[in-house]
Amino acid sequence: MLSTTAKSPSFWQRYRAPVLLTVVGGAIDTIGFITLFGFFTAHVTGNLVLAGSGLVKGEDGLWIKLASVPLFVLTVVVTKVYIDNSRQQRLILTHLLLAEAVFLTAFMIAGLSFQPFTDGNSITVAVTGGLGLTALAIRNTASKTVIKHMSPTVLMTGNTTQLGIHLSDYLANRTLDNAKKLAHSSALVSSFVIGALLGALLYVKLSYWAVGLFVLPVLYLAWLARDKSFLQNIG
């Protein structure tokens, strides 16, 4: 008699999406910060902090960092409207990841076209940073809607807090379940660190061409997301 028990997803099947997306998030955020006078493409609240610091210290780029908030919110609104009104619900995640890849590619092209950036108040910094921010705002919206069961892949404060909680739970009670939770949160935080380091190192070697390497994992996941079981298996 053939077994009807469904085969459990492998570790890679469960974690490839959050790990790859977190690596990309760390890399893009780092490249933007290095090249665009401290502009965060993922951490909008970080831009507000730096805007406040810039106001006190008289640093450039204040208006660009403040403008990142309405741009982020507008992108979220447009993305959510698309999600709510799409006639192809099964392909929503594919479409969102493709949109992210498109804006990341535009971010790369803008960086290559406008660099070197010499003025923190310039429109070229605003356009380049805005394209990267839009890409990750789409991702953030997907994380809160279509893949809300998956841990965030760009906002690491919550994940780092969860890592501490899971470590505490495991040390107090070394069960298999607690070990799995610790492995999950460790993988996400480590992935962001790896992405940040890779982004910095590859930018030094390849300039903005490095962004193209991080578009590839997003396209890979967009292709996988066509499969109905993909959403069910991701951790």
Side-chain angles (χ1 to χ4, degrees):
M1 178 182 293
L2 294 175
S3 172
T4 58
T5 302
K7 184 179 179 181
S8 298
S10 66
F11 182 88
W12 176 241
Q13 288 175 320
R14 286 188 63 83
Y15 290 104
R16 60 190 169 188
V19 165
L20 290 175
L21 290 175
T22 302
V23 168
V24 172
I28 301 304
D29 215 22
T30 301
I31 291 172
F33 187 84
I34 291 172
T35 62
L36 302 175
F37 301 91
F39 182 87
F40 286 110
T41 54
H43 295 78
V44 178
T45 51
N47 286 328
L48 292 178
V49 171
L50 290 174
S53 172
L55 180 62
V56 172
K57 296 180 179 180
E59 297 172 347
D60 292 337
L62 176 62
W63 75 272
I64 296 175
K65 293 178 176 66
L66 291 176
S68 70
V69 177
L71 175 59
F72 189 93
V73 172
L74 177 62
T75 303
V76 171
V77 169
V78 172
T79 305
K80 184 62 165 60
V81 169
Y82 172 75
I83 292 171
D84 292 340
N85 292 279
S86 174
R87 295 182 180 180
Q88 296 180 299
Q89 292 292 313
R90 188 177 66 83
L91 295 176
I92 282 180
L93 183 56
T94 291
H95 294 165
L96 295 181
L97 290 173
L98 286 175
E100 178 182 343
V102 167
F103 277 100
L104 286 178
T105 302
F107 174 64
M108 177 185 72
I109 293 171
L112 289 169
S113 301
F114 297 140
Q115 66 178 353
F117 298 100
T118 56
D119 181 2
N121 285 315
S122 68
I123 191 65
T124 57
V125 169
V127 169
T128 306
L131 289 169
L133 182 141
T134 299
L136 295 182
I138 293 170
R139 162 97 67 82
N140 271 295
T141 310
S143 295
K144 292 292 185 179
T145 54
V146 182
I147 48 176
K148 59 184 177 182
H149 60 292
M150 188 176 80
S151 298
T153 54
V154 286
L155 304 176
M156 286 298 111
T157 303
N159 289 336
T160 306
T161 303
Q162 204 63 56
L163 172 60
I165 292 172
H166 288 158
L167 178 58
S168 176
D169 289 343
Y170 179 73
L171 292 175
N173 187 13
R174 299 186 181 185
T175 63
L176 179 60
D177 184 56
N178 283 340
K180 288 181 178 178
K181 291 178 180 178
L182 178 58
H184 176 79
S185 54
S186 298
L188 290 177
V189 174
S190 299
S191 297
F192 194 85
V193 172
I194 291 170
L197 293 174
L198 278 176
L201 292 173
L202 289 173
Y203 174 77
V204 170
K205 297 292 185 182
L206 303 174
S207 183
Y208 261 85
W209 288 111
V211 174
L213 297 178
F214 296 103
V215 173
L216 297 178
V218 179
L219 291 174
Y220 168 66
L221 293 173
W223 177 72
L224 290 177
R226 300 176 306 160
D227 187 347
K228 183 171 63 175
S229 64
F230 178 78
L231 279 175
Q232 300 170 348
N233 291 333
I234 57 178

